[in-house]
Short mmCIF file of all heavy atoms in Angstrom, two decimals:
data_model
loop_
_atom_site.label_atom_id
_atom_site.label_comp_id
_atom_site.label_asym_id
_atom_site.label_seq_id
_atom_site.Cartn_x
_atom_site.Cartn_y
_atom_site.Cartn_z
N TYR A 1 94.78 93.49 91.09
CA TYR A 1 95.37 94.80 90.81
C TYR A 1 94.39 95.60 89.98
O TYR A 1 93.45 95.05 89.40
CB TYR A 1 96.73 94.66 90.09
CG TYR A 1 96.72 93.77 88.87
CD1 TYR A 1 96.32 94.24 87.63
CD2 TYR A 1 97.15 92.45 88.96
CE1 TYR A 1 96.33 93.42 86.50
CE2 TYR A 1 97.16 91.62 87.85
CZ TYR A 1 96.75 92.12 86.62
OH TYR A 1 96.76 91.31 85.51
N PRO A 2 94.58 96.92 89.89
CA PRO A 2 93.66 97.76 89.11
C PRO A 2 93.69 97.37 87.63
O PRO A 2 94.76 97.14 87.08
CB PRO A 2 94.19 99.18 89.30
CG PRO A 2 95.20 99.11 90.38
CD PRO A 2 95.64 97.69 90.51
N LYS A 3 92.52 97.29 87.03
CA LYS A 3 92.47 96.85 85.64
C LYS A 3 91.79 97.87 84.73
O LYS A 3 91.68 97.65 83.54
CB LYS A 3 91.78 95.50 85.55
CG LYS A 3 92.58 94.43 86.28
CD LYS A 3 92.02 93.06 86.11
CE LYS A 3 92.90 92.09 86.88
NZ LYS A 3 92.39 90.77 86.95
N GLU A 4 91.37 98.99 85.26
CA GLU A 4 90.71 100.00 84.44
C GLU A 4 91.69 101.05 83.96
O GLU A 4 92.78 101.21 84.53
CB GLU A 4 89.54 100.66 85.19
CG GLU A 4 89.93 101.40 86.46
CD GLU A 4 90.14 100.50 87.67
OE1 GLU A 4 89.64 99.37 87.72
OE2 GLU A 4 90.85 100.95 88.58
N ASN A 5 91.32 101.73 82.89
CA ASN A 5 92.10 102.85 82.34
C ASN A 5 93.54 102.48 81.98
O ASN A 5 94.44 103.30 82.10
CB ASN A 5 92.10 104.03 83.32
CG ASN A 5 90.72 104.52 83.63
OD1 ASN A 5 89.86 104.56 82.75
ND2 ASN A 5 90.47 104.87 84.88
N GLY A 6 93.77 101.26 81.57
CA GLY A 6 95.11 100.84 81.18
C GLY A 6 96.05 100.56 82.33
O GLY A 6 97.23 100.26 82.12
N LEU A 7 95.54 100.66 83.56
CA LEU A 7 96.40 100.40 84.72
C LEU A 7 96.86 98.95 84.78
O LEU A 7 97.90 98.65 85.36
CB LEU A 7 95.69 100.79 86.02
CG LEU A 7 95.44 102.28 86.22
CD1 LEU A 7 94.64 102.52 87.49
CD2 LEU A 7 96.75 103.05 86.24
N ASN A 8 96.10 98.05 84.17
CA ASN A 8 96.50 96.64 84.14
C ASN A 8 97.85 96.46 83.44
O ASN A 8 98.70 95.71 83.91
CB ASN A 8 95.43 95.79 83.46
CG ASN A 8 95.06 96.29 82.08
OD1 ASN A 8 95.24 97.46 81.73
ND2 ASN A 8 94.52 95.40 81.27
N LEU A 9 98.04 97.15 82.34
CA LEU A 9 99.31 97.04 81.60
C LEU A 9 100.45 97.72 82.34
O LEU A 9 101.56 97.20 82.40
CB LEU A 9 99.16 97.61 80.20
CG LEU A 9 98.17 96.87 79.29
CD1 LEU A 9 98.01 97.59 77.97
CD2 LEU A 9 98.60 95.43 79.09
N ILE A 10 100.15 98.87 82.91
CA ILE A 10 101.18 99.59 83.66
C ILE A 10 101.60 98.78 84.88
O ILE A 10 102.79 98.59 85.15
CB ILE A 10 100.68 101.00 84.07
CG1 ILE A 10 100.45 101.86 82.82
CG2 ILE A 10 101.65 101.66 85.04
CD1 ILE A 10 99.68 103.14 83.09
N TYR A 11 100.61 98.29 85.62
CA TYR A 11 100.90 97.53 86.84
C TYR A 11 101.74 96.29 86.55
O TYR A 11 102.75 96.03 87.23
CB TYR A 11 99.59 97.14 87.54
CG TYR A 11 99.81 96.39 88.81
CD1 TYR A 11 99.94 97.06 90.02
CD2 TYR A 11 99.89 95.00 88.81
CE1 TYR A 11 100.15 96.37 91.20
CE2 TYR A 11 100.12 94.30 90.00
CZ TYR A 11 100.24 94.99 91.18
OH TYR A 11 100.47 94.30 92.35
N THR A 12 101.33 95.51 85.55
CA THR A 12 102.05 94.26 85.27
C THR A 12 103.44 94.53 84.70
O THR A 12 104.38 93.79 85.00
CB THR A 12 101.24 93.34 84.34
OG1 THR A 12 100.82 94.05 83.18
CG2 THR A 12 100.00 92.79 85.06
N THR A 13 103.58 95.59 83.93
CA THR A 13 104.90 95.93 83.39
C THR A 13 105.83 96.39 84.51
O THR A 13 106.99 95.96 84.58
CB THR A 13 104.78 97.03 82.32
OG1 THR A 13 103.94 96.55 81.26
CG2 THR A 13 106.13 97.42 81.76
N LEU A 14 105.34 97.24 85.40
CA LEU A 14 106.16 97.69 86.52
C LEU A 14 106.50 96.53 87.46
O LEU A 14 107.62 96.44 87.97
CB LEU A 14 105.45 98.80 87.30
CG LEU A 14 105.29 100.13 86.56
CD1 LEU A 14 104.43 101.09 87.38
CD2 LEU A 14 106.64 100.74 86.25
N GLY A 15 105.56 95.63 87.66
CA GLY A 15 105.82 94.47 88.49
C GLY A 15 106.90 93.58 87.91
O GLY A 15 107.78 93.10 88.62
N LEU A 16 106.84 93.38 86.60
CA LEU A 16 107.87 92.57 85.93
C LEU A 16 109.24 93.22 86.08
O LEU A 16 110.22 92.55 86.42
CB LEU A 16 107.52 92.38 84.45
CG LEU A 16 108.55 91.64 83.61
CD1 LEU A 16 108.86 90.27 84.18
CD2 LEU A 16 108.05 91.54 82.17
N ALA A 17 109.31 94.52 85.86
CA ALA A 17 110.59 95.22 85.99
C ALA A 17 111.10 95.13 87.43
O ALA A 17 112.30 94.91 87.67
CB ALA A 17 110.43 96.68 85.56
N SER A 18 110.20 95.26 88.38
CA SER A 18 110.58 95.19 89.80
C SER A 18 111.13 93.81 90.16
O SER A 18 112.18 93.70 90.82
CB SER A 18 109.36 95.52 90.66
OG SER A 18 109.66 95.37 92.02
N GLU A 19 110.45 92.77 89.74
CA GLU A 19 110.91 91.41 90.06
C GLU A 19 112.21 91.08 89.34
O GLU A 19 113.09 90.42 89.91
CB GLU A 19 109.83 90.38 89.74
CG GLU A 19 108.60 90.51 90.61
CD GLU A 19 108.85 90.36 92.10
OE1 GLU A 19 109.87 89.74 92.50
OE2 GLU A 19 108.03 90.87 92.88
N ALA A 20 112.35 91.52 88.09
CA ALA A 20 113.62 91.31 87.38
C ALA A 20 114.74 92.02 88.12
O ALA A 20 115.86 91.51 88.23
CB ALA A 20 113.52 91.80 85.94
N GLY A 21 114.43 93.19 88.68
CA GLY A 21 115.41 93.92 89.48
C GLY A 21 115.81 93.16 90.73
O GLY A 21 116.97 93.19 91.15
N GLU A 22 114.85 92.46 91.34
CA GLU A 22 115.18 91.68 92.53
C GLU A 22 116.09 90.50 92.19
O GLU A 22 117.00 90.18 92.95
CB GLU A 22 113.89 91.20 93.21
CG GLU A 22 113.14 92.36 93.87
CD GLU A 22 111.97 91.90 94.71
OE1 GLU A 22 112.09 90.86 95.38
OE2 GLU A 22 110.94 92.60 94.70
N VAL A 23 115.86 89.87 91.04
CA VAL A 23 116.76 88.80 90.59
C VAL A 23 118.16 89.39 90.39
O VAL A 23 119.16 88.82 90.84
CB VAL A 23 116.26 88.15 89.28
CG1 VAL A 23 117.29 87.17 88.72
CG2 VAL A 23 114.92 87.44 89.51
N THR A 24 118.21 90.52 89.73
CA THR A 24 119.48 91.19 89.45
C THR A 24 120.21 91.55 90.74
O THR A 24 121.43 91.35 90.86
CB THR A 24 119.24 92.46 88.60
OG1 THR A 24 118.54 92.09 87.42
CG2 THR A 24 120.52 93.16 88.25
N ASP A 25 119.47 92.06 91.72
CA ASP A 25 120.09 92.46 92.98
C ASP A 25 120.68 91.26 93.71
O ASP A 25 121.79 91.34 94.26
CB ASP A 25 119.05 93.15 93.86
CG ASP A 25 119.68 93.76 95.10
OD1 ASP A 25 120.62 94.57 94.95
OD2 ASP A 25 119.24 93.43 96.22
N LYS A 26 119.96 90.15 93.70
CA LYS A 26 120.49 88.94 94.35
C LYS A 26 121.75 88.45 93.66
O LYS A 26 122.70 88.04 94.31
CB LYS A 26 119.42 87.85 94.41
CG LYS A 26 118.32 88.16 95.41
CD LYS A 26 117.49 86.96 95.72
CE LYS A 26 116.38 87.29 96.70
NZ LYS A 26 116.76 87.93 97.92
N MET A 27 121.76 88.49 92.34
CA MET A 27 122.95 88.07 91.60
C MET A 27 124.13 89.01 91.88
O MET A 27 125.27 88.55 92.00
CB MET A 27 122.66 87.99 90.10
CG MET A 27 121.77 86.84 89.72
SD MET A 27 122.42 85.22 90.20
CE MET A 27 123.85 85.14 89.15
N LYS A 28 123.85 90.30 91.98
CA LYS A 28 124.90 91.26 92.32
C LYS A 28 125.53 90.91 93.66
O LYS A 28 126.76 90.92 93.82
CB LYS A 28 124.31 92.67 92.36
CG LYS A 28 125.29 93.74 92.83
CD LYS A 28 124.57 95.01 93.21
CE LYS A 28 123.87 94.79 94.53
NZ LYS A 28 123.20 95.93 95.10
N LYS A 29 124.69 90.54 94.63
CA LYS A 29 125.19 90.19 95.96
C LYS A 29 125.95 88.87 95.94
O LYS A 29 126.89 88.69 96.73
CB LYS A 29 124.04 90.17 96.95
CG LYS A 29 123.52 91.58 97.21
CD LYS A 29 122.32 91.60 98.11
CE LYS A 29 121.87 93.05 98.28
NZ LYS A 29 120.61 93.16 99.01
N VAL A 30 125.57 87.96 95.06
CA VAL A 30 126.34 86.72 94.90
C VAL A 30 127.76 87.06 94.46
O VAL A 30 128.73 86.51 94.98
CB VAL A 30 125.67 85.77 93.88
CG1 VAL A 30 126.62 84.68 93.42
CG2 VAL A 30 124.40 85.17 94.47
N ILE A 31 127.89 87.98 93.53
CA ILE A 31 129.21 88.39 93.05
C ILE A 31 129.98 89.10 94.15
O ILE A 31 131.14 88.79 94.43
CB ILE A 31 129.08 89.27 91.79
CG1 ILE A 31 128.55 88.42 90.63
CG2 ILE A 31 130.42 89.92 91.44
CD1 ILE A 31 128.10 89.23 89.43
N ARG A 32 129.31 90.05 94.80
CA ARG A 32 129.99 90.87 95.82
C ARG A 32 130.33 90.08 97.07
O ARG A 32 131.44 90.19 97.60
CB ARG A 32 129.09 92.06 96.20
CG ARG A 32 129.72 93.00 97.21
CD ARG A 32 128.75 94.02 97.74
NE ARG A 32 127.73 93.34 98.56
CZ ARG A 32 126.56 93.87 98.86
NH1 ARG A 32 126.23 95.07 98.42
NH2 ARG A 32 125.70 93.21 99.60
N ASP A 33 129.38 89.28 97.56
CA ASP A 33 129.54 88.67 98.88
C ASP A 33 129.97 87.21 98.86
O ASP A 33 130.46 86.70 99.86
CB ASP A 33 128.22 88.76 99.66
CG ASP A 33 127.77 90.19 99.86
OD1 ASP A 33 128.62 91.11 99.82
OD2 ASP A 33 126.56 90.40 100.05
N LYS A 34 129.78 86.53 97.73
CA LYS A 34 130.03 85.09 97.71
C LYS A 34 130.98 84.66 96.60
O LYS A 34 131.05 83.49 96.26
CB LYS A 34 128.71 84.33 97.58
CG LYS A 34 127.75 84.61 98.73
CD LYS A 34 126.45 83.87 98.58
CE LYS A 34 125.50 84.25 99.68
NZ LYS A 34 125.29 83.19 100.65
N GLY A 35 131.69 85.64 96.03
CA GLY A 35 132.66 85.33 94.99
C GLY A 35 132.06 84.67 93.76
O GLY A 35 132.72 83.92 93.06
N GLY A 36 130.78 84.94 93.51
CA GLY A 36 130.11 84.39 92.34
C GLY A 36 129.60 82.97 92.51
O GLY A 36 129.10 82.38 91.56
N ILE A 37 129.69 82.46 93.72
CA ILE A 37 129.24 81.08 93.97
C ILE A 37 127.80 81.09 94.47
O ILE A 37 127.48 81.75 95.46
CB ILE A 37 130.17 80.38 94.97
CG1 ILE A 37 131.58 80.29 94.38
CG2 ILE A 37 129.63 79.01 95.35
CD1 ILE A 37 132.64 79.84 95.33
N ILE A 38 126.96 80.32 93.79
CA ILE A 38 125.55 80.22 94.16
C ILE A 38 125.35 78.94 94.96
O ILE A 38 125.44 77.84 94.42
CB ILE A 38 124.65 80.24 92.91
CG1 ILE A 38 124.84 81.54 92.15
CG2 ILE A 38 123.19 80.03 93.29
CD1 ILE A 38 124.15 81.59 90.81
N ASP A 39 125.08 79.10 96.25
CA ASP A 39 124.84 77.93 97.10
C ASP A 39 123.37 77.54 97.04
O ASP A 39 122.56 78.20 96.39
CB ASP A 39 125.31 78.19 98.53
CG ASP A 39 124.59 79.35 99.21
OD1 ASP A 39 123.47 79.72 98.78
OD2 ASP A 39 125.15 79.88 100.18
N ALA A 40 123.02 76.46 97.72
CA ALA A 40 121.65 75.94 97.67
C ALA A 40 120.64 76.97 98.18
O ALA A 40 119.54 77.10 97.61
CB ALA A 40 121.54 74.65 98.48
N GLY A 41 120.98 77.67 99.24
CA GLY A 41 120.08 78.69 99.78
C GLY A 41 119.82 79.82 98.80
O GLY A 41 118.68 80.26 98.63
N MET A 42 120.89 80.28 98.15
CA MET A 42 120.73 81.36 97.17
C MET A 42 119.96 80.87 95.95
O MET A 42 119.15 81.61 95.39
CB MET A 42 122.09 81.92 96.76
CG MET A 42 121.99 83.07 95.76
SD MET A 42 120.91 84.44 96.27
CE MET A 42 121.85 85.16 97.59
N LYS A 43 120.20 79.64 95.54
CA LYS A 43 119.46 79.08 94.42
C LYS A 43 117.95 79.09 94.72
O LYS A 43 117.14 79.43 93.87
CB LYS A 43 119.93 77.66 94.10
CG LYS A 43 119.32 77.10 92.82
CD LYS A 43 119.79 75.69 92.54
CE LYS A 43 121.14 75.72 91.87
NZ LYS A 43 121.56 74.39 91.38
#
């Protein structure tokens, strides 16, 4: 990823937020679609 001009910090921070959002989205769907039950595939 770009590492000049402070882009390294911006990139890694945005990436972390994005991935945390993906975890959150999957958990939201567990609640909505699976009644809060996490099966082996979702795990």
Side-chain angles (χ1 to χ4, degrees):
Y1 51 83
K3 296 185 180 173
E4 61 280 339
N5 302 321
L7 292 176
N8 55 336
L9 296 175
I10 295 167
Y11 181 89
T12 52
T13 301
L14 292 174
L16 176 56
S18 176
E19 294 301 337
E22 289 188 39
V23 172
T24 304
D25 188 56
K26 288 195 181 307
M27 289 302 294
K28 175 196 74 176
K29 290 176 181 174
V30 164
I31 292 167
R32 182 190 68 199
D33 300 336
K34 300 180 184 251
I37 297 170
I38 299 172
D39 61 21
M42 181 54 70
K43 188 181 277 189

